[in-house]
Amino acid sequence: MSLRGTWSRIEALRHPSAGSDEWLVRAALVGCVPILLAYATAGLVYGNLPMFTPGGFVDMPGACAWLTATMALAIAIFVVDWLVRGELTVPPAPSVTVSVKRWQHGMARQPTLPPYMLSSPRSSWLRIACLSTAAVACASALVGRATLAFGWQAFARPGGFAPQAEWPLYPLQWVWPWLLPLARNRFVLGLIGVGVGLYVLALLLQWRKVRGAWFALLFVVPMLLTLNFLGSAGFDFAAARQLGGFDEPELVAALAQNPGRYNAFTFLSLWGAIGFGTVGLIVGFVLGRSKEMDENG
């Protein structure tokens, strides 16, 4: 297929339709589930998790990591329930029926009112429990992390089940040699250059009043971030284990002193790449095809 034909098919998908919107949302939710499950598993195994906050990534050790993992598991169950049962809507109001009572001679007139039923929205106790658990776990983890900042080490224990385990980092054990070129300075600078070039192109297309000017930028940026995270994960895994001829004593010492924390951040780089490659791409596609972006373009 030619490049023009491929682009025409992509443009056809950008036209709003209920079916395509539902498909994209479901695809994004399906991509979220394994990421959330892997994130929670890493917290239980390594006893350390980074949590993203408005101020950046915050290190969550010990019980804080377990609470963060609980939050991720609750959200994963909520998403799975949403995928299985869909959106719970308010049932339609019952139809009003008029009851007619035949009047006979000698009987007093007594109007008969139709039965009235209160309509209540469908609720799911599972979803309410999942959201409540996630909110309480997140708040507790942040409070526990604040106490650690003040020197109270109660939330620093317990640790992970296996801080030195490498199986959550699969398949880095096999693919790290192919990921090392992605961590080179030239390649990273090239990714930044491509991102800046796309941004300038989007500004130019917006100035020229081209419809969907930001579509290409939102479509490609998740892929650029995926390559960057993959290179970081491969380098962190190999350098700390002195693979590939690396001589990085600081990384070797960091892995030896706190293997749970080091492996957790390596895990974050790996699954950050997977997340940007799946959910990030779909979200960028949805934003690129939205009417607001078209009007701004």
Side-chain angles (χ1 to χ4, degrees), residues 20 212 224:
S20 61
L224 300 180

Side-chain angles (χ1 to χ4, degrees), residues 70-148:
T70 302
M71 176 192 66
L73 284 175
I75 297 176
I77 296 174
F78 176 85
V79 173
V80 171
D81 183 75
W82 189 289
L83 289 171
V84 173
R85 294 197 294 166
E87 184 177 1
L88 301 182
T89 59
V90 179
S95 59
V96 178
T97 58
V98 179
S99 299
V100 179
K101 186 175 182 179
R102 186 179 298 277
W103 178 81
Q104 297 179 359
H105 183 72
M107 297 179 59
R109 295 180 179 271
Q110 295 180 354
T112 302
L113 299 178
Y116 180 73
M117 300 178 60
L118 294 175
S119 61
S120 58
R122 296 174 59 191
S123 61
S124 172
W125 290 107
L126 177 61
R127 296 187 185 182
I128 295 174
C130 289
L131 293 179
S132 301
T133 302
V136 172
C138 180
S140 302
L142 293 175
V143 171
R145 186 63 182 85
T147 60
L148 291 177

Side-chain angles (χ1 to χ4, degrees), residues 25-84:
V25 171
R26 290 185 65 86
L29 292 177
V30 170
C32 286
V33 173
I35 296 174
L36 290 171
L37 293 178
Y39 182 76
T41 302
L44 298 177
V45 172
Y46 292 136
N48 196 301
L49 270 183
M51 177 187 288
F52 183 75
T53 64
F57 284 101
V58 178
D59 190 14
M60 293 288 182
C64 297
W66 285 37
L67 290 170
T68 306
T70 302
M71 176 192 66
L73 284 175
I75 297 176
I77 296 174
F78 176 85
V79 173
V80 171
D81 183 75
W82 189 289
L83 289 171
V84 173

Side-chain angles (χ1 to χ4, degrees), residues 49-273:
L49 270 183
M51 177 187 288
F52 183 75
T53 64
F57 284 101
V58 178
D59 190 14
M60 293 288 182
C64 297
W66 285 37
L67 290 170
T68 306
T70 302
M71 176 192 66
L73 284 175
I75 297 176
I77 296 174
F78 176 85
V79 173
V80 171
D81 183 75
W82 189 289
L83 289 171
V84 173
R85 294 197 294 166
E87 184 177 1
L88 301 182
T89 59
V90 179
S95 59
V96 178
T97 58
V98 179
S99 299
V100 179
K101 186 175 182 179
R102 186 179 298 277
W103 178 81
Q104 297 179 359
H105 183 72
M107 297 179 59
R109 295 180 179 271
Q110 295 180 354
T112 302
L113 299 178
Y116 180 73
M117 300 178 60
L118 294 175
S119 61
S120 58
R122 296 174 59 191
S123 61
S124 172
W125 290 107
L126 177 61
R127 296 187 185 182
I128 295 174
C130 289
L131 293 179
S132 301
T133 302
V136 172
C138 180
S140 302
L142 293 175
V143 171
R145 186 63 182 85
T147 60
L148 291 177
F150 289 103
W152 188 30
Q153 299 297 319
F155 279 86
R157 294 287 183 267
F161 292 120
Q164 297 181 351
E166 294 185 359
W167 59 265
L169 303 178
Y170 177 86
L172 287 179
Q173 297 87 341
W174 296 351
V175 302
W176 66 264
W178 290 274
L179 299 180
L180 293 181
L182 304 180
R184 294 176 180 174
N185 293 332
R186 292 183 178 179
F187 187 83
V188 175
L189 291 176
L191 295 179
I192 297 175
V194 172
V196 172
L198 287 175
Y199 179 73
V200 173
L201 178 62
L203 290 177
L204 179 61
L205 294 177
Q206 182 183 13
W207 177 67
R208 298 291 296 177
K209 304 298 182 182
V210 177
R211 181 177 179 272
W214 297 93
F215 175 64
L217 178 66
L218 295 174
F219 194 80
V220 177
V221 164
M223 295 296 97
L224 300 180
L225 294 173
T226 296
L227 296 176
N228 179 58
F229 276 106
L230 285 176
S232 177
F235 175 80
D236 291 341
F237 180 85
R241 293 162 177 80
Q242 296 180 325
L243 301 175
F246 282 104
D247 185 14
E248 299 288 342
E250 296 181 357
L251 298 183
V252 175
L255 177 61
Q257 294 174 2
N258 196 344
R261 182 178 186 275
Y262 190 91
N263 287 328
F265 274 86
T266 305
F267 174 89
L268 178 66
S269 298
L270 174 63
W271 281 91

